[in-house]
Amino acid sequence: MQHYKEKSTSKKHQEPKVTMLSAFKTIIWPRRNLVFIGLLLIIIKSASGLVLPWQSKVLLDQVVPNKDMSLLYSLIAIVIAAITVQAVTSYLLTRILSVQSQFLISELRSQVQKKVLSLPISFFDNTKSGALVSRIMNDVEGVRNLIGTGLVQLVGGTFTAVVSLIILIKLNPWMTLFVFVPLTLFGLIALKAFKFIRPIFRNRGKISAEVTGRLTETLAGVRVIKAFNAENQENIVFEEGVDKLYQNVKKSLTATALMTSSSTFLIGVATTGIMGMGGYYMMIGEMTTGDFLFFTLILGFMIAPIVQMSNIGSQLTEALAGLDRTEELMNMTAEEDNPNRTIELKTLKGDIEFKEVSFSYEEGKEVLHHINFKAAAGSVTALVGSSGSGKSTIAGLSATFLTPVSGVVTIDNQDLSKVKLSTYRQYLGVVLQDEFLFEGTIRENILFPRPNATEEELQNAVKAAYVNEFTDRFEEGLETLIGERGVKLSGGQRQRLAIARAILANPKIIILDEATSSLDTESEALIQKSLAELIKDRTTIVIAHRLSTIRQADQILVIEAGHIVERGNHEELIAKEGRYYELYTYQSKI
């Protein structure tokens, strides 16, 4: 857990890693065939755009003075053909590059989501789910500018500007040189602005993720918010986040406004100078009216892409900032990529043993101290004790959600920290206190661990967990929609559905975390019967506050302050009249 915290913190102080060159290698070059076709279309489109100013010169210098009707018809035909070429190439560019960029976005989202799911549980403990949703969905959006609109404008604009410059130099080198002075100043201002904007865009992604994360939590916890009349409190928190985002956007808009205003001023200066110089050259006969119009129109073709660079630069800067953040996630080490995990479990008997196991969530604050016990294959080990004593941490270590700081947890005498997780977890079943259900039908939730299970296997799980006891009363039966997180079901119904899911998974190892805590007496009686079926011949680790539910456990471990203070079966611990006896007799009186 600490590892990811430190990693993400240190990243904040590093220079951005994703550059245009690296983005070109990883994103553009693998799609080079489509991109090159796109570039060819861009060049054709840009070249056809130059036809109109060229024909305008012909119109003024040849057609009108000579009253040449045939040349006029030819001129109109050429202009219409050029406009048609522009329209067709524009359509093809959208089909090829814009569609490809959207495909790339969907592809990247899938890759990032796959990477996120491969990260350890400790990473999710430190990261809001809403923030991760924002990073998966929003951070990759900017790549459309690398292949789509941004690339079109950048390459097309550059080509147009270069060709226009050559034409301008041929028309009048001195007027062209005069224009270059303000354009050079604009270029220097733009470079400074982009350097200033990129960190702002990087920070914007972080702020946006935080705001989205908080909003997701707010919507998920709306019942708690309304129960405590805390709407105003949540509104204030959200408004603060939105304002923080606004302040960030304001900074980038200020820099963009500086570029826009400077370009307006400098281009105005250049235009005024061109009017003066053009007027002078026409008066002394070194320039025709057609030449001046042609120069002015071509000058617009050269300046427009350069001014557009401020917009393109912002788009590309935003894209690279998003890719920086995506790269952070993609560079994290997946659980399965741990080089120490080399052991593959072909079969599993189910012997679990803790040997001198200590664990801490934060450095220097141990929550487990030198835990030793063995859970034999097929046995039931119950963990009891006060809240915060370390029971759930032991369960988390058994499920490989956590890794010991010191000591060893073994499975069939193999060090669990060296076992490939997928080969262990295929034998694992977990039923949590606050069991998570997916939006959908009851059938879909039970089939979640084994989507291809037969109808007979499904029905056996339904009956074993007594799910049919309530689904038979539903009009839609197993096809009943349960709402987000199963909100349309009672606590007992959700718990039985979760147990049916675990029964269908047919695991060798079962971890039950307060599996009966949310049940009424009648539901608990039904669950006890289904649990007896679930744990048969399976290694079971069960956490329970209701001590009456674990009387038949093979061994009971009493955990207090991270230590095992007592161990034995129910009768032995009652006879000792120690901590377990106190807990049991206290609950019996209630």
Side-chain angles (χ1 to χ4, degrees):
M1 182 185 295
Q2 196 67 21
H3 166 72
Y4 284 101
K5 219 167 188 177
E6 288 168 3
K7 185 168 186 174
S8 61
T9 303
S10 63
K11 289 264 184 187
K12 291 177 187 174
H13 303 290
Q14 293 178 6
E15 285 296 313
K17 286 190 171 183
V18 179
T19 62
M20 274 303 296
L21 181 61
S22 63
F24 179 84
K25 287 178 181 176
T26 58
I27 293 173
I28 298 174
W29 186 247
R31 295 159 184 82
R32 55 189 175 277
N33 292 337
L34 277 175
V35 171
F36 286 153
I37 292 171
L39 293 181
L40 181 62
L41 290 171
I42 292 168
I43 291 169
I44 294 171
K45 180 174 179 279
S46 301
S48 61
L50 295 170
V51 171
L52 181 60
W54 168 45
Q55 292 302 309
S56 297
K57 169 180 163 54
V58 174
L59 178 69
L60 289 177
D61 286 353
Q62 296 179 41
V63 174
V64 174
N66 300 324
K67 299 181 181 178
D68 191 336
M69 293 300 293
S70 62
L71 187 57
L72 178 63
Y73 296 144
S74 300
L75 183 149
I76 291 170
I78 291 169
V79 171
I80 289 173
I83 291 169
T84 304
V85 169
Q86 275 188 294
V88 171
T89 50
S90 180
Y91 170 77
L92 292 174
L93 278 170
T94 301
R95 289 286 299 145
I96 292 172
L97 293 185
S98 296
V99 172
Q100 178 61 207
S101 67
Q102 290 302 320
F103 172 73
L104 176 59
I105 288 170
S106 66
E107 203 175 44
L108 280 175
R109 280 178 180 151
S110 297
Q111 290 174 9
V112 177
Q113 188 260 3
K114 185 178 179 182
K115 180 68 177 187
V116 166
L117 284 186
S118 74
L119 298 173
I121 292 291
S122 53
F123 169 77
F124 296 93
D125 291 340
N126 276 322
T127 312
K128 288 183 179 179
S129 57
L132 285 176
V133 169
S134 175
R135 295 186 72 167
I136 293 168
M137 296 303 294
N138 299 337
D139 283 356
V140 299
E141 274 278 354
V143 298
R144 71 181 182 277
N145 295 320
L146 295 178
I147 286 190
T149 54
L151 183 69
V152 171
Q153 290 175 340
L154 182 66
V155 176
T158 303
F159 173 79
T160 304
V162 170
V163 172
S164 299
L165 177 62
I166 293 168
I167 295 171
L168 290 174
I169 291 171
K170 285 187 175 181
L171 280 171
N172 194 309
W174 291 109
M175 286 170 68
T176 305
L177 180 64
F178 179 82
V179 172
F180 245 78
V181 176
L183 287 181
T184 304
L185 285 173
F186 172 73
L188 293 172
I189 293 169
L191 284 174
K192 286 282 185 184
F194 292 144
K195 193 174 182 181
F196 173 74
I197 288 173
R198 184 164 182 180
I200 295 173
F201 278 130
R202 276 181 57 82
N203 202 33
R204 182 180 302 174
K206 178 175 173 290
I207 296 167
S208 179
E210 287 173 356
V211 173
T212 307
R214 182 66 187 201
L215 180 60
T216 306
E217 284 182 346
T218 300
L219 297 177
V222 70
R223 284 174 172 78
V224 177
I225 292 167
K226 287 187 176 294
F228 287 99
N229 196 30
E231 289 96 329
N232 287 338
Q233 180 181 318
E234 282 304 304
N235 291 341
I236 290 167
V237 171
F238 185 70
E239 283 168 9
E240 286 174 353
V242 170
D243 182 66
K244 199 174 175 185
L245 191 59
Y246 158 70
Q247 296 298 336
N248 178 280
V249 173
K250 189 168 76 170
K251 279 185 183 177
S252 64
L253 288 176
T254 302
T256 307
L258 177 65
M259 284 190 291
T260 307
S261 58
S262 63
S263 68
T264 303
F265 175 75
L266 293 170
I267 289 166
V269 170
T271 305
T272 306
I274 293 305
M275 286 176 65
M277 293 177 76
Y280 171 75
Y281 283 121
M282 282 189 287
M283 284 189 289
I284 64 172
E286 289 189 14
M287 203 176 218
T288 66
T289 307
D291 285 336
F292 180 73
L293 178 63
F294 188 32
F295 187 95
T296 306
L297 292 174
I298 291 295
L299 181 62
F301 273 83
M302 185 185 80
I303 290 177
I306 295 172
V307 174
Q308 264 188 339
M309 291 298 173
S310 62
N311 183 38
I312 299 166
S314 296
Q315 289 178 1
L316 296 181
T317 302
E318 190 172 3
L320 295 178
L323 288 174
D324 282 341
R325 288 165 49 74
T326 300
E327 192 79 359
E328 286 177 16
L329 281 177
M330 298 303 288
N331 285 337
M332 288 181 176
T333 305
E335 279 185 313
E336 205 69 5
D337 293 340
N338 188 329
N340 295 324
R341 293 190 179 276
T342 55
I343 301 170
E344 293 191 22
L345 299 176
K346 304 296 183 185
T347 59
L348 189 123
K349 182 182 173 187
D351 288 323
I352 296 176
E353 187 171 3
F354 277 57
K355 301 176 181 177
E356 292 293 316
V357 172
S358 296
F359 181 82
S360 61
Y361 291 99
E362 296 178 37
E363 195 173 340
K365 295 180 180 178
E366 276 194 359
V367 294
L368 291 182
H369 315 280
H370 309 290
I371 299 295
N372 291 280
F373 73 90
K374 183 171 183 178
S379 69
V380 178
T381 299
L383 307 175
V384 302
S386 308
S387 294
S389 59
K391 304 185 299 297
S392 293
T393 303
I394 292 174
L397 288 162
S398 303
T400 62
F401 295 156
L402 306 171
T403 304
V405 172
S406 63
V408 178
V409 181
T410 65
I411 180 71
D412 295 345
N413 295 318
Q414 303 269 27
D415 184 348
L416 201 49
S417 67
K418 295 180 180 177
V419 171
K420 286 195 173 180
L421 291 169
S422 57
T423 67
Y424 173 68
R425 287 179 181 165
Q426 65 180 324
Y427 300 109
L428 180 68
V430 179
V431 180
L432 301 173
Q433 178 181 1
D434 183 20
E435 191 56 65
F436 186 91
L437 300 178
F438 295 91
E439 186 174 5
T441 65
I442 292 172
R443 176 188 293 273
E444 288 168 344
N445 271 276
I446 296 174
L447 285 172
F448 181 74
R450 287 178 61 203
N452 298 321
T454 65
E455 185 65 23
E456 183 183 359
E457 289 170 327
L458 172 67
Q459 291 299 331
N460 287 340
V462 166
K463 290 170 186 173
Y466 294 88
V467 170
N468 59 319
E469 185 271 334
F470 63 87
T471 55
D472 288 348
R473 301 197 302 270
F474 293 163
E475 189 177 333
E476 300 293 330
L478 292 177
E479 305 306 324
T480 302
L481 292 168
I482 63 172
E484 190 175 6
R485 295 180 68 91
V487 293
K488 294 181 181 179
L489 300 179
S490 69
Q493 289 169 343
R494 287 199 296 270
Q495 208 66 50
R496 276 180 272 172
L497 199 158
I499 291 172
R501 183 163 65 185
I503 290 172
L504 185 69
N506 194 25
K508 292 284 186 71
I509 295 169
I510 292 284
I511 295 172
L512 304 172
D513 188 351
E514 302 287 358
T516 60
S517 64
S518 61
L519 306 183
D520 52 55
T521 306
E522 183 181 350
S523 295
E524 185 181 339
L526 292 173
I527 291 296
Q528 288 304 322
K529 292 179 184 177
S530 62
L531 285 177
E533 180 65 30
L534 174 62
I535 67 179
K536 189 185 294 181
D537 301 322
R538 294 183 172 102
T539 307
T540 304
I541 294 177
V542 55
I543 300 172
H545 279 157
R546 294 189 184 183
L547 304 189
S548 58
T549 62
I550 56 167
R551 292 184 62 168
Q552 303 306 316
D554 295 287
Q555 67 171 335
I556 299 169
L557 305 178
V558 182
I559 316 296
E560 292 295 342
H563 295 276
I564 298 177
V565 295
E566 287 178 5
R567 69 180 76 207
N569 60 34
H570 175 73
E571 288 75 18
E572 290 169 346
L573 292 175
I574 290 293
K576 282 184 181 178
E577 296 190 2
R579 178 62 176 154
Y580 180 80
Y581 176 82
E582 289 176 9
L583 292 170
Y584 188 79
T585 52
Y586 176 73
Q587 284 194 8
S588 300
K589 292 173 186 175
I590 297 174

